[in-house]
Amino acid sequence: MSGIVVCRGCCCGSSRKVPRLDHDAQVRRLAQVADVHVTDCLDVCEQANVVVVRPSPAGRAAGGRPVWLALVNQPEAADDIAEWVRAGGPGLAELPAVLGLHVFEGPRSERRPGPPRRQQ
């Protein structure tokens, strides 16, 4: 199953920044099709609301990589993401053109979206 990381920290998920979006409903919609991890901040506040779609194991084996989506600020965007994930998501299904408008390159850092990694 694909994983989805939803930024809901300092400004993503804020009614102050994106007032006409039901942020909780967006997370619930995405959780219908994937494991959703809500994180505090992905350090790309100017792109709020940010959603990262991670490939399933099969998608990763097929060459899929995480896809960073910016300005996911309309209810329909969550539906588009959900349909893409249901079709297979990164590595298994072609990215719909409408979602291509949201794609951006995430920050290049050691930090990856998702649960913290264990230190060795």
Side-chain angles (χ1 to χ4, degrees):
M1 175 179 278
S2 292
I4 297 176
V5 178
V6 180
C7 189
R8 286 295 184 261
C10 61
C11 54
C12 285
S14 163
S15 297
R16 190 176 66 250
K17 186 153 188 165
V18 185
R20 290 181 285 264
L21 179 67
D22 183 339
H23 300 277
D24 293 333
Q26 185 181 63
V27 171
R28 285 193 304 272
R29 173 66 178 115
L30 296 173
Q32 292 174 348
V33 297
D35 293 327
V36 173
H37 174 78
V38 177
T39 189
D40 282 338
C41 188
L42 293 172
D43 296 328
V44 285
C45 299
E46 68 280 0
Q47 302 288 346
N49 287 324
V50 174
V51 173
V52 182
V53 181
R54 298 169 64 187
S56 65
R60 169 95 40 204
R65 297 292 174 257
V67 176
W68 288 68
L69 303 170
L71 306 172
V72 182
N73 298 331
Q74 303 80 24
E76 300 81 15
D79 293 335
D80 295 333
I81 294 167
E83 289 305 313
W84 178 47
V85 168
R86 187 174 284 125
L92 299 177
E94 189 172 334
L95 181 74
V98 69
L99 290 180
L101 300 172
H102 295 274
V103 173
F104 76 106
E105 189 171 327
R108 293 178 182 251
S109 69
E110 297 276 324
R111 199 163 144 222
R112 300 269 191 248
R117 293 184 175 183
R118 296 176 76 177
Q119 297 295 320
Q120 302 242 9

